Amino acid sequence: VALLRAGTEQDKANAARALSGLVMDQNTRTQIMDAGALPLLVALLRAGTEEGKSGAAFAITRLVHDLPIRMVVVDEGALPLLVALLRAGTEQDKANAARALSGLVMDQNTRTQIMDAGALPLLVALLRAGTEEGKSGAAFAITRLVHDLPIRMVVVDEGALPLLVALLRAG
């Protein structure tokens, strides 16, 4: 965590990746959160190098398995940063961002925030032309978003249905 706070840009990217590898269970997630890593990961998402942003998104993906952590991630402002990564990141960044967004969907409020941030067209674009990992992350995020009927209709209108069926066929 000290490297996330005061290291070089490369140190920060390496630390984010290392933290993602350390997340094994709730106890470890709690320790990482207690050490103050989350605001530093969000800062890395906001202003880090491409490698740092990718590492931060992946670490956040691994941290959001617990509801209280999800709420903190949203409160720290990570949602629009993840959508920005989904919009302009590398293919790996997009896959990481899609997986992180899928983990953040916890209730109607966060589904609405994700939709309002413009994530759905980006997720559909990832379904259409992303890597296999990106398509999988996008499909999972969309699966989590469609718990609300109005969002289901928007997903269909965005053209996700045939892409999801094609992904299912491809196995």
Side-chain angles (χ1 to χ4, degrees), residues 2 13-14 16 23 30 44-45 53 60 83 90 101 121 125 159:
N14 290 340
V23 179
T30 301
L44 194 55
L45 265 180
K53 290 177 182 180
I60 289 170
V83 172
T90 66
L101 287 170

Side-chain angles (χ1 to χ4, degrees), residues 80 125 143-144 151:
T143 299
R144 303 288 305 271
I151 294 175

Side-chain angles (χ1 to χ4, degrees), residues 67 70-77 79-80 83 101-119 144-151:
L67 182 61
R70 289 181 199 160
M71 295 181 341
V72 174
V73 169
V74 171
D75 290 345
E76 286 287 333
L79 278 178
V83 172
L101 287 170
S102 70
L104 291 174
V105 178
M106 62 189 132
D107 58 24
Q108 183 171 353
N109 183 42
T110 47
R111 283 189 287 274
T112 300
Q113 287 180 47
I114 290 168
M115 294 294 289
D116 289 349
R144 303 288 305 271
L145 286 170
V146 296
H147 287 266
D148 294 332
L149 182 59
I151 294 175

Side-chain angles (χ1 to χ4, degrees), residues 18-140:
L19 284 173
S20 67
L22 291 173
V23 179
M24 297 172 282
D25 56 27
Q26 183 177 355
N27 183 45
T28 310
R29 285 189 289 275
T30 301
Q31 289 177 20
I32 290 169
M33 294 295 290
D34 290 348
L38 186 61
L40 301 170
L41 290 168
V42 173
L44 194 55
L45 265 180
R46 183 175 291 110
T49 63
E50 290 304 315
E51 189 178 359
K53 290 177 182 180
S54 184
F58 189 59
I60 289 170
T61 299
R62 303 289 306 272
L63 286 170
V64 296
H65 291 282
D66 298 324
L67 182 61
I69 294 175
R70 289 181 199 160
M71 295 181 341
V72 174
V73 169
V74 171
D75 290 345
E76 286 287 333
L79 278 178
L81 301 171
L82 290 166
V83 172
L85 198 56
L86 192 59
R87 180 176 293 111
T90 66
E91 291 303 314
Q92 185 62 53
D93 294 342
K94 291 175 183 180
N96 289 341
R99 281 194 310 268
L101 287 170
S102 70
L104 291 174
V105 178
M106 62 189 132
D107 58 24
Q108 183 171 353
N109 183 42
T110 47
R111 283 189 287 274
T112 300
Q113 287 180 47
I114 290 168
M115 294 294 289
D116 289 349
L120 184 60
L122 301 170
L123 291 168
V124 172
L126 193 55
L127 270 179
R128 183 174 291 113
T131 62
E132 292 305 312
E133 189 178 2
K135 288 177 182 181
S136 176
F140 189 52

